[in-house]
Amino acid sequence: ATTSGAYTLEVLLTADGLPLAGAAYTLQLDLNPAIPSCALGDAMEQDDSSGAATQTRDLNLTGLSACPSDDDWYAVGVQTVPLQVNANFLHAEGNIDLFLYNASLGLVTSATSTTNNESINISPGPGQYFLKVSLANDLGSHPGNSYDLIIVVE
């Protein structure tokens, strides 16, 4: 199957020539959750602007999708410091960058390496901040790249 969803797998015994009914077998099922669903979006859609940002404090999400021309935004309320943000992904599938903005959408800092994963560790002071996750370059064999996101406000 090439789309996400629930699937049923049926295993049938078509012939049984043994004295005991049935047959022992081993089943191995390999799933590839790393392929993003740019056509459907991820669990956090519609988070495509600072005005539609997902409100969060501490967050640990897996299986998110960074898609071409479809930035993901998160609103982070900071009362104490530091603020730690980690986006984990495979760069070979697409370069993801992080941008942290203040409440007025002024850029505070960014993480724009060309390797796997991006991190921001900063003590920005109390206030409302916006995190933008952006697919800078789509490098893989399918549209977009999947990522896991961890935001920790201590």
Side-chain angles (χ1 to χ4, degrees), residues 30-116:
D30 294 322
L31 302 175
N32 186 356
I35 298 175
S37 177
C38 286
L40 300 175
D42 57 37
M44 304 312 289
E45 291 296 335
Q46 292 288 329
D47 58 352
D48 301 334
S49 68
S50 61
T54 299
Q55 295 287 331
T56 184
R57 181 159 165 80
D58 291 325
L59 184 70
N60 188 345
L61 293 174
T62 59
L64 300 171
S65 299
C67 298
S69 303
D70 184 14
D71 296 333
D72 293 339
W73 287 79
Y74 301 87
V76 183
V78 175
Q79 295 175 357
T80 59
V81 292
L83 169 63
Q84 300 172 354
V85 180
N86 294 303
N88 302 316
F89 60 93
L90 293 176
H91 181 266
E93 289 298 325
N95 183 26
I96 295 175
D97 290 337
L98 302 177
F99 301 90
L100 185 68
Y101 298 91
N102 62 23
S104 302
L105 297 181
L107 183 64
V108 175
T109 191
S110 61
T112 59
S113 74
T114 56
T115 61
N116 292 344

